[in-house]
Amino acid sequence: MASGQEIVVECKNLRKSYILGEVRVDALRGINMQINRGEMISIMGPSGCGKTTLLNIVGSLDNPSSGQVLLEGSDISRASEQQLTEIRRKSVGFIFQFYNLLPVLTALENVELPMLIAGIPKDKRVKRATELLEKVDLLRRKDHKPDELSGGERQRVAIARALANKPTILLADEPTGDLDTESGQAVLSLLKEVNKTENQTLILVTHDSNIAREANRIFHIKDGIVASVENVS
Ligand code: ADP
Ligand code: MG
């Protein structure tokens, strides 16, 4: 690693098993990775190899069976419930394949939501949510509900929402998986732009090798371990 680089995410021998009745599924079997601040990382691998499990654990939505995740040097398995809530709220922004927007809220209100939960006053929330919708080029849709938006537009609202609390890391689980090529490209350009201009670390799971190649490095996962790491640029 070149000097001056700062590791923001480190996984040390991360394991995760699920017990289903008599059967144990070893979803992660000893994942090791180090990701630097501002890097864009793609995670590729066949369906069922553990990509979503890995992302959820890095984002503290799930616990590993053993091993460690260090976010900016702190071991999240040692964090209290209150600290974990803070991490989920402030350090991590999640983007899902199927957007996970709240259907009863408008685009603007969806973007406001994480700030509402973080206790930010209404006027500040609306101001920031407006700026974010402008950034994703959807201000004209601010009063639309998710079912009045296209898939690509929904995902751009979801990106604006993920950025609301200025997270250190953006985690995107197949963010273009449900989109046509053109909308997928728009979502990808937006993620790349945020990664560049805000120096936000981006970890993106994708099936699409054209998308994966936009990253600095590709982690190839196979059967719950990192099979290889490919340097792209
Ligand atoms: P990917 O995202 O790469 O398709 P996942 O991380 O979703 O893979 O799943 C990895 C493995 O763990 C799969 O075999 C899957 O069936 C299993 N798995 C995932 N979540 C659960 C769960 N909540 N309970 C039991 N098994 C699970
Ligand atoms: Mg998955």
Side-chain angles (χ1 to χ4, degrees), residues 32 54 56 107 142 150 223:
N32 291 293
L54 174 61
N56 288 346
K142 74 179 173 63
S150 71
D223 296 333

Side-chain angles (χ1 to χ4, degrees), residues 18 20 25 27 46-53:
Y18 296 104
L20 285 173
V25 178
S47 187
C49 73
K51 304 181 297 296
T52 294
T53 304

Side-chain angles (χ1 to χ4, degrees), residues 42-44 174 176 181 185 204-214:
S42 294
I43 295 183
M44 292 196 83
E174 311 212 29
T176 63
T181 309
Q185 273 305 329
L204 173 136
V205 169
T206 181
H207 270 107
D208 184 332
S209 55
N210 290 321
I211 288 178
R213 303 207 72 77
E214 301 279 337

